[in-house]
Amino acid sequence: MIETSRLLLRPQRIEDFELYKAIWINDPNLSEGVQVLPGLTDEQSWDRLLRWIGHWNVFGYGPLLVIDRQTGELVGETGVARFHRANGPAFDGVPEALWRIKYTRHGQGLASEAAYAALQWYDARKISERTVCMIDHWNDTSLKLAGKLGFKEFSRAIYKDSDVVLLDRIVKT
């Protein structure tokens, strides 16, 4: 659906489940004390996959799988979705950007390349002038990427017992 020099981005399909789980598993050999986003169980990965398939059917947009064009490996997901996280009116109901690259592919610029392409696609459809994102306060890598993508902090919040930064970007349609 969307191609970059290294990546293919496309909506999820039910047959992606076994590969999809791999982007939500954290490296069991991570050093103690290293902070990472939580992994998901098989059931949670299944629920998330079904959620995104349904999201595309309802809204006509949603998260996309990120596939390495050279190897065919599923390396992550990115895109825009509606979460309804109960972060207040300045956040909820506004399309929210997301990105995740599986741990074995960190540090290769894939999140940046994928998120930029997904946001360009989304913006071209003029779905909303404003997009938000929520990032754990300790996640400097994602906060830096959000800045490159045009997001600016507008608030802080607590989400599921974690301190998070709420950011937004405005694109005039």
Side-chain angles (χ1 to χ4, degrees), residues 17-26 45 74 102-103:
F17 177 61
E18 289 301 322
L19 297 174
Y20 185 72
K21 292 187 314 185
I23 64 174
W24 285 101
I25 295 171
N26 286 326
S45 295
L74 175 57
K102 73 184 200 180
Y103 71 90

Side-chain angles (χ1 to χ4, degrees), residues 17 22 52 58 74 108 118 125 149-150:
F17 177 61
W52 296 150
V58 171
L74 175 57
Q108 299 173 17
R125 276 134 193 88
L149 295 170

